[in-house]
Amino acid sequence: MIVLGIESSCDETGIALYDTDKGLLSHALYSQIALHAEYGGVVPELASRDHIRRIVPLLEQAFEKALLTPQDVNAIAYTKGPGLAGALLVGSSVASSLGLALNKPLIGVHHLEGHLLSPLLASKPPVFPFVALLVSGGHTQLMRVDGVGRYELLGETLDDAAGEAFDKSAKLLGLPYPGGPEISLLAEKGNPEVFHLPRPMLHSKDLNFSFSGLKTAVLTTLKKQGDSPSEQVKADIARAFVNAIVEVLAAKCALALRQTGLKQLVVAGGVGANRQLRAALNGMAAKRRCQVFYPELEFCTDNGAMIAFAGAMHLMQNPDAAQKDYAFTVRPR
Ligand code: KG4
Ligand code: ZN
């Protein structure tokens, strides 16, 4: 079975073709990061318009790379939500139009489920059950995953998402959008002994997170350094921020592994690309004799492959999961 995947929930247009026998056949991606950079964040209306501009050429690219035509597809999976309403509408209306024109069934995919299952695209994937840490720009969750569609929420952020904390703190330090990778790079030049920032909810004994206080701590620390802090001071603050957030994430993952008794941890979502987080999780897992799985770097952030894959997994379980109902809606929340 060949599934076409379409992702357009935020600022990346992703298209992919997944074959349940042969694996991923092709994927094509366009990131709008440069478009939104000058505004310091994603501008929803610009995002929708750019998805419209990119989506058909990307579809053509993906089919060309896979040496397939749209008629070869058995089903079309698209991101139904959560995300920006206008952006989601582009992917879902293209999916519906293609389905209607080609007489192919559609399956709406939850964006986070795409992230959650993305580590299974790797050559050495984890096996169910496992604990998953979902850390993206919009979400921070710990889940117990027993199988496709069998998820239990263990804990989540009570305020900002981890990626949001990275981006907002980076912005306070004057770094360009999206700040996650930038603040992580700057932190490598920082001295860990200079500043100490709070570790919110580190000892809360549950699996929830809270990151908005950390962002505020970055702001107050920065303000105390006068009007134009040196690059080294900024690097030291970046280091303190990264160390704090990474310590909390790693400690909660350790607690989730202990509470569930599971031995595999899957890390998904954009923040999963973070080097310091990976180092901390690898160290924690080695101590606990657990294994950590990361999606390939290109599948950590938003992409079409994870949507094609999640759609394909649902269809393998239940062929009726895809329907020839072309009246589409999106679920921004
Ligand atoms: O999963 P994703 O691409 O989109 C959402 O669904 O949100 O995640 C994007 C988030 C952004 O906040 C970005 O700053 C963060 O992931 N991110 C990183 C890194 N790469 C991406 N944060 C920290 N370190 C990184 N290397
Ligand atoms: Zn995402």
Side-chain angles (χ1 to χ4, degrees):
M1 177 172 54
I2 296 172
V3 179
L4 168 67
I6 300 179
E7 155 66 29
S8 72
S9 65
C10 188
D11 58 348
E12 260 107 22
T13 324
I15 304 291
L17 287 156
Y18 183 84
D19 184 326
T20 50
D21 292 326
K22 298 181 191 155
L24 189 63
L25 301 177
S26 69
H27 70 107
L29 187 74
Y30 183 84
S31 170
Q32 305 175 358
I33 281 179
L35 174 70
H36 301 290
E38 64 175 297
Y39 305 99
V42 178
V43 183
E45 182 58 25
L46 292 183
S48 319
R49 290 176 192 213
D50 210 50
H51 284 303
I52 293 173
R53 253 193 303 272
R54 309 291 171 187
I55 198 161
V56 172
L58 286 170
L59 275 162
E60 286 167 347
Q61 255 182 47
F63 279 107
E64 222 166 84
K65 274 197 235 166
L67 302 174
L68 292 177
T69 69
Q71 272 305 346
D72 297 322
V73 157
N74 299 96
I76 302 169
Y78 66 96
T79 305
K80 190 162 185 166
L84 303 169
L88 288 166
L89 276 169
V90 179
S92 53
S93 58
V94 167
S96 294
S97 321
L98 268 178
L100 179 64
L102 302 166
N103 193 27
K104 306 286 182 187
L106 301 182
I107 176 166
V109 171
H110 193 293
H111 180 78
L112 294 184
E113 184 177 28
H115 277 303
L116 202 62
L117 299 179
S118 61
L120 299 176
L121 279 164
S123 49
K124 282 188 192 146
V127 289
F128 299 120
F130 52 77
V131 170
L133 171 71
L134 256 177
V135 269
S136 71
H139 298 268
T140 301
Q141 301 185 329
L142 271 164
M143 306 271 256
R144 181 193 164 104
V145 181
D146 285 294
V148 174
R150 292 167 61 205
Y151 315 118
E152 183 194 342
L153 183 65
L154 302 173
E156 63 185 333
T157 182
L158 305 178
D159 42 54
D160 289 355
E164 202 178 347
F166 268 97
D167 294 342
K168 287 179 175 170
S169 300
K171 198 171 179 177
L172 292 171
L173 292 171
L175 298 170
Y177 168 85
E182 300 279 340
I183 196 170
S184 162
L185 268 180
L186 183 63
E188 286 180 4
K189 298 182 204 144
N191 178 346
E193 307 299 331
V194 181
F195 299 106
H196 184 87
L197 297 181
R199 270 78 173 143
M201 298 185 74
L202 182 61
H203 302 294
S204 67
K205 294 200 172 67
D206 59 20
L207 295 170
N208 292 327
F209 304 88
S210 162
F211 296 120
S212 74
L214 188 52
K215 167 197 67 193
T216 311
V218 168
L219 179 64
T220 44
T221 308
L222 190 63
K223 274 190 173 161
K224 282 188 202 148
Q225 309 309 310
D227 285 344
S228 49
S230 68
E231 279 310 301
Q232 187 56 49
V233 165
K234 287 189 197 167
D236 295 342
I237 297 177
R239 179 67 181 261
F241 165 78
V242 170
N243 283 1
I245 195 163
V246 161
E247 189 181 325
V248 174
L249 288 168
K252 296 282 173 164
C253 287
L255 186 60
L257 289 168
R258 196 166 81 218
Q259 283 186 0
T260 57
L262 298 179
K263 291 284 175 197
Q264 300 173 101
L265 173 70
V266 154
V267 183
V271 182
N274 183 268
R275 272 217 235 150
Q276 292 96 338
L277 178 63
R278 288 188 175 205
L281 291 177
N282 291 343
M284 177 278 292
K287 264 192 232 152
R288 309 186 62 85
R289 306 206 174 168
C290 293
Q291 261 182 300
V292 197
F293 298 82
Y294 305 95
E296 308 272 336
L297 269 181
E298 58 186 337
F299 301 136
C300 263
T301 48
D302 292 349
N303 64 85
M306 67 185 195
I307 302 304
F309 180 72
M313 291 301 104
H314 275 286
L315 288 172
M316 298 264 281
Q317 269 190 354
N318 171 21
D320 293 335
Q323 295 285 327
K324 289 184 178 171
D325 173 5
Y326 305 116
F328 60 90
T329 53
V330 296
R331 302 278 301 274
R333 288 179 174 273

